[in-house]
């Protein structure tokens, strides 16, 4: 494994090290999974396929589509959809706020609907299509609602934002953005600890009215040296 | 999280057989209540049978009324044109509950079966007769603000928070059940859930292995569509369980009340109907005084446990407010 100085490590890297895998290797395996090439064996422990999860009972096999990629996986049935996304597939955009259905930070789309991925067993996405925050917009363009959130300060820390955006897309699609009050009611499944609600409502309205700044839609490529 | 096995049922028979063949099994529908309880270490099934894809997900007209499939989502039920036109309080009640994310996943059968939100029940560190029979009840002398004031026992004062089922109970809905011997039976929704008595661990009159297939609304309850209202009182404007809710419905004729339905939610272990109180509406002219008298009667036997004392007065005021609105007096 790669040698990394202990003092430079983030907590997640430490836990990955403990599981005897480097961050780079982890990302490679996550990418493989995302390409549908890997039969990802254990979804509760992202890092160490040779360790069986604690108190393991049996596997369940699923065939699913995540962000347009078909995948086959073997899972511990206890795995939630949120943990599958974050811990196994490296799709860390969906956030874990409460893990109890009470905050909306984990909101994703399953089929035509938005759902809380924390209260969804990964086994239940068998045969279904899931879209996460990573799957909206394109490589070259943002989704309009992403632009609108930037323009209207629809966030402060950004933790709730992926969930807010996944909800906002459905609120607009399903025509629940008629008035401020209606937007607030239909966005109420997404709690924001920073209290960015005013900006969120403005962002939703600007997409509804198509007044968001279309110049911002292009993703500018930034070289990271 | 305790380990469990999972399988998806392809037919109702397969689900029920699977249930009967394994010990300690649970049906899984949307999972919004069950997964939460498993994760919180409140319940520990060894085997989950996923019934969410069984063919009971339609909302359809049947002889004598409207059938709400047990596996139809709460969202699809609230959006259904027949529900909205003929039984509008059902739609209202669903949309005032939880959030769109949860309602998309939550099923009608699961909503009916959801367990109490009593915080001592939901946390395995406390004594709770419902979770662990005989262990005691930490809520009676504890933080019981959200719990029941009607139909309680000294064993348990849990409340049942379903908004949808409060509306369904007011409209005389009937629960359709498939039994392990291949038979079918039905139970009126008001009698489906049980008061705690001596065995608070048993929430409902559903027997081992029985599967809910639909909840049916009778044709006759369409009569209430013109004058009905679901009032939900809660701590914040949205995304909160009810402290008290009232499903109120009247049939008017020549300015007199011809028929009335009233169900209260979150004040008892089941949707609360009081036939004597309902009879007091009949043949009367609607007025604040009449509704106040009926509210008094409804809460007559109520008992507070400290933090939840306020629910008795709140319940009365909610009844008056809901019926004033239905009668067009407010
Ligand atoms: C944060 C939060 C807020 C909420 N707010 C509200 C609210 O304001 N108002 C409200 O009314 N509700 C509210 N709910 C509760 C929600 O409505 C229920 O969790 C939901 O309806 C349960 O349905 P489900 O399909 O997900 O059930 P599951 O979780 O799948 O199952 C629940 C129970 O029902 C049993 N079951 C399911 N289907 C059947 C069947 N067909 N036959 C026999 N047994 C069955 C299961 O074995 C399990 O014991 C809230 C929930 C959360 C998490
Ligand atoms: S009120 Fe009922 S559910 Fe709550 S702690 Fe007491 S016994 Fe348990
Ligand atoms: S993490 Fe799923 S709702 Fe909070
Ligand atoms: S932006 Fe910080 S929680 Fe919403």
């Amino acid at each position: 494994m790669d040698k990394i100085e202990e003092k430079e490590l983030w907590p997640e890297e430490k836990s990955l090290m403990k599981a005897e895998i480097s961050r780079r290797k982890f990302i490679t395996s996550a990418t493989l999974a995302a390409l549908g090439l890997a039969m990802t064996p254990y979804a509760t422990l992202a890092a160490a396929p040779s360790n069986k999860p604690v108190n393991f009972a049996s596997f369940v096999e699923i065939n699913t589509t995540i962000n347009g990629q078909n995948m086959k996986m073997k899972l511990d049935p206890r795995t939630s959809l949120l943990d599958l996304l974050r811990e196994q597939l490296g799709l860390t955009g969906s956030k874990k706020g409460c893990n109890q259905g009470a905050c909306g930070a984990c909101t994703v789309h399953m089929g035509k609907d938005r759902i809380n991925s924390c209260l969804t067993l990964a086994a239940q996405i068998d045969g279904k299509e899931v879209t996460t925050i990573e799957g909206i917009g394109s490589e070259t363009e943002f989704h309009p609602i992403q632009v609108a959130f930037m323009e209207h300060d629809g966030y402060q820390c950004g933790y709730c934002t992926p969930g807010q955006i996944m909800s906002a897309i459905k609120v607009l699609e399903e025509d629940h953005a008629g008035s401020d009050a209606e937007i607030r009611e239909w966005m109420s499944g997404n709690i924001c600890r920073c209290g960015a609600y005013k900006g969120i409502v403005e962002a939703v309205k600007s997409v509804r009215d198509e007044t968001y700044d279309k110049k911002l839609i292009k993703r500018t490529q930034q070289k990271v040296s | 999280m305790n380990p469990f096995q999972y399988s998806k049922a392809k037919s109702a028979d397969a689900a029920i057989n699977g249930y009967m063949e394994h010990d300690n099994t649970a049906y899984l529908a949307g999972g919004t209540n069950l997964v939460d309880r498993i994760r919180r270490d409140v319940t520990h099934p060894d085997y989950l049978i996923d019934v969410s894809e069984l063919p009971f997900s339609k909302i359809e007209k049947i002889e004598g009324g409207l059938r709400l499939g047990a596996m139809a989502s709460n969202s699809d039920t609230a959006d259904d044109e027949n529900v909205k036109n003929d039984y509008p309080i059902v739609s209202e009640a669903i949309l005032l509950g939880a959030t769109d994310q949860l309602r998309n996943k939550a099923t009608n059968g699961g909503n009916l079966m959801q367990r109490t939100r009593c915080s001592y029940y939901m946390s395995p560190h406390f004594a709770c007769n419902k979770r662990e029979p005989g262990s005691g009840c930490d809520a009676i002398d504890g933080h019981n603000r959200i719990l029941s004031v009607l139909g309680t026992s000294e064993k348990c004062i849990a409340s049942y928070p379903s908004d949808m089922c409060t509306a369904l109970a007011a409209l005389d809905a009937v629960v359709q059940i498939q039994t392990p011997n291949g038979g079918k039976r039905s139970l009126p929704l008001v009698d489906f859930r049980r008061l705690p008595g001596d065995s608070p661990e048993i929430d409902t009159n559903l027997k081992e292995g029985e599967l809910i297939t639909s909840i049916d609304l009778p044709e006759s309850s369409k009569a209430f569509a013109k004058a009905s209202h679901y009032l939900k009182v809660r701590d914040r404007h949205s995304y909160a369980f009810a402290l008290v809710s009232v499903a109120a419905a009247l049939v008017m004729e020549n300015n007199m009340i011809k028929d009335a339905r009233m169900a209260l939610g979150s004040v008892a272990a089941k949707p609360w109907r009081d036939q004597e109180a309902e009879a007091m509406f009949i043949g009367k002219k609607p007025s604040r005084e009449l509704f106040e008298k009926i509210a008094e009667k409804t809460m007559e036997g109520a008992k507070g446990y400290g933090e939840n004392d306020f629910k008795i007065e709140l319940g009365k005021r909610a009844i008056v407010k809901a019926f004033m609105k239905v009668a067009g007096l407010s």
Side-chain angles (χ1 to χ4, degrees), chain B residues 118 120-121 127-130 137 139 155-158:
Chain B
C118 171
Y120 300 98
Y121 165 76
C128 168
N129 288 324
K130 191 181 275 303
C137 169
K155 290 271 172 68
C156 177
I157 60 171

Side-chain angles (χ1 to χ4, degrees), chain A residues 54-60 76-80 83 99-104 107 110 112-121 123-124 126-128 163 167 170 174 176 184-186 188-191, chain B residues 1-8 28-40 46 48 50-53 73 75-76 79 95-105 117 234 236-239:
Chain A
V54 192
N55 294 330
F56 178 75
S58 72
F59 285 124
V60 51
D76 180 329
R78 289 172 290 181
T79 316
S80 69
D83 284 343
N99 220 20
Q100 300 180 347
C103 76
T107 304
M110 183 170 84
K112 64 178 185 21
D113 296 322
R114 54 175 161 148
I115 58 162
N116 304 92
S117 61
C118 68
L119 292 185
T120 301
L121 290 183
Q124 291 198 296
D126 182 39
K128 304 253 161 61
S167 274
K170 287 294 161 189
E174 292 165 5
H176 288 302
R184 284 179 185 275
E185 171 59 32
W186 286 83
S188 73
N190 294 79
I191 308 280
Chain B
M1 205 170 178
N2 261 41
F4 54 76
Q5 294 185 54
Y6 166 97
S7 73
K8 195 185 284 176
L28 173 74
T32 60
N33 185 237
L34 186 59
V35 171
D36 195 18
R37 282 189 282 121
I38 295 175
R39 186 175 291 141
R40 293 190 203 207
D46 291 324
L48 290 192
D50 186 343
V51 296
S52 62
E53 288 180 22
S73 73
S75 290
D76 287 349
D79 281 350
L95 293 178
L96 287 170
T99 66
D100 193 48
Q101 286 100 309
L102 288 159
R103 297 190 296 261
N104 286 338
K105 201 90 202 316
R117 307 301 296 193
R234 47 187 161 169
R236 57 180 181 197
H237 191 66
S238 183
Y239 202 2

Side-chain angles (χ1 to χ4, degrees), chain A residues 154-161 164 191-197 200:
Chain A
Y155 47 78
Q156 190 186 97
C157 75
Y159 195 81
C160 69
T161 315
Q164 301 279 4
I191 308 280
C192 175
R193 291 168 301 176
C194 301
Y197 297 112
I200 294 169

